Amino acid sequence: MGYRYAIIGATGNVGTEMLEILAESDLDVSEIYAVASRNSVGREVSFGDRTIKCVDLEQFDFSKVDIALMSAGGDVSKKWSPIIAKAGAIVIDNSSTWRMDPDVPLVVPEVNADQVAFAKKG
């Protein structure tokens, strides 16, 4: 059984790259959601050979996902990461928002991938 993913900031440059890399990876993706601001609702993005429509960040039920890949900027991350984690998903954020938080590991997979297991805030 695969993981269920949400890409927050799916219409931005990094979000679209996350979708592309995830589609090309060997990871087992059972569900994929493109999540964006209200302005992008309904906009189509590519996931491999599929096209998916963006859903509204404000309305999305994050209990439907296991992993949330976030690239929507620091303010969005600061507000939404705790909400998403509380819903049960693991949040992987590429902003600098949590960089100095001692309960959030700064992980560079090639250097310290083992630190992922020590995340205390989801």
Side-chain angles (χ1 to χ4, degrees):
M1 183 173 118
Y3 290 103
R4 302 166 299 163
Y5 290 85
I7 309 298
I8 298 96
T11 59
N13 289 334
V14 175
T16 56
E17 189 68 19
M18 286 178 172
L19 284 162
E20 184 176 327
I21 291 169
L22 189 58
E24 293 173 356
S25 76
D26 291 332
L27 296 172
D28 189 4
V29 179
S30 64
E31 295 286 336
I32 185 79
Y33 300 94
V35 182
S37 70
R38 186 170 294 131
N39 295 337
S40 294
V41 170
R43 183 170 164 190
E44 295 181 340
V45 294
S46 296
F47 180 69
D49 60 355
R50 294 174 35 201
T51 299
I52 54 177
K53 289 188 178 186
C54 290
V55 296
D56 185 6
L57 171 66
E58 299 278 340
Q59 303 299 316
F60 187 71
D61 177 6
F62 284 98
S63 69
K64 299 190 312 187
V65 299
D66 303 301
I67 299 170
L69 300 174
M70 182 171 291
S71 181
D75 291 338
V76 173
S77 179
K78 191 167 190 102
K79 176 181 177 181
W80 283 95
S81 291
I83 294 167
I84 296 167
K86 188 174 181 180
I90 295 170
V91 179
I92 301 172
D93 175 43
N94 80 332
S95 77
S96 62
T97 300
W98 307 101
R99 190 165 292 154
M100 299 305 289
D101 188 316
D103 292 331
V104 178
L106 176 59
V107 177
V108 178
E110 295 82 1
V111 177
N112 64 342
D114 60 312
Q115 291 298 303
V116 171
F118 298 106
K120 297 177 185 171
K121 289 190 175 179

